[in-house]
Amino acid sequence: IPYDIYVMTAERGGKIAAATVTWVTQTAFAPPLVAVGVKTEFQPYDIAKEAGGFALNMLGKDSKGVFGFFKPATVEGDKVSGEPFHAGSTGAPILDYAIASVECQIVEIVKQGDHHIFVGEVVDANVTKQPEGRADEAILEMKELGDNVFYRG
């Protein structure tokens, strides 16, 4: 199964969380919905659940060096794990280097297995760097990180 790489972020009461996620898919056009598999033991799970929302930051092909630096995420000023961010319209952190992002309100959590599915309604979307060619080909994929990088699968 091919995996694109995203950084899911959330903020609640001054607590900021960020984690690399790869299990992401669009589920509906009206309203626009996405589903994200989130490991229940990760800090972003609790913070996003408490906040009622999250952002998905889309990494471009030139973001290979930042993959995996969110284990665990640290926050200092306006940087998360050393990477600058700003608050999006919902308050969720938007990584400054992300080529695009979507901000979502959680409408349902499917609780099965060690990853739960957050179903989020997209309430805001931003493109910071217009991709050349097809937009879906601009996202960093797991296979582009080399033969020795796997997502525990």
Side-chain angles (χ1 to χ4, degrees):
I1 299 174
Y3 296 111
D4 292 339
I5 299 174
Y6 304 85
V7 176
M8 184 183 118
T9 56
E11 185 278 335
R12 174 70 172 165
K15 293 188 290 186
I16 293 174
T20 305
V21 294
T22 59
W23 299 339
V24 176
T25 192
Q26 179 180 348
T27 63
F29 288 118
L33 299 174
V34 296
V36 183
V38 183
K39 190 169 185 175
T40 58
E41 299 170 358
F42 279 177
Q43 179 191 33
Y45 178 90
D46 292 329
I47 292 177
K49 185 177 174 184
E50 290 172 15
F54 58 90
L56 286 174
N57 293 270
M58 298 165 200
L59 302 182
K61 305 259 187 223
D62 59 350
S63 301
K64 293 177 185 176
V66 298
F67 170 74
F69 77 91
F70 296 101
K71 297 180 181 179
T74 58
V75 178
E76 291 185 24
D78 61 350
K79 293 185 177 183
V80 60
S81 296
E83 299 297 327
F85 73 93
H86 61 277
S89 63
T90 64
I94 304 299
L95 301 176
D96 290 351
Y97 66 80
I99 62 171
S101 62
V102 292
E103 295 179 69
C104 302
Q105 293 300 125
I106 297 172
V107 295
E108 186 169 351
I109 300 175
V110 180
K111 298 179 179 180
Q112 297 291 324
D114 62 354
H115 284 67
H116 291 177
I117 307 299
F118 284 7
V119 179
E121 181 174 349
V122 176
V123 295
D124 203 356
N126 301 286
V127 175
T128 56
K129 181 180 177 186
Q130 191 64 38
E132 295 178 18
R134 290 178 53 106
D136 59 347
E137 292 179 357
I139 304 294
L140 181 63
E141 295 179 78
M142 182 73 69
K143 67 182 179 183
E144 294 168 325
L145 298 176
D147 292 336
N148 296 320
V149 177
F150 301 97
Y151 190 72
R152 299 179 54 144

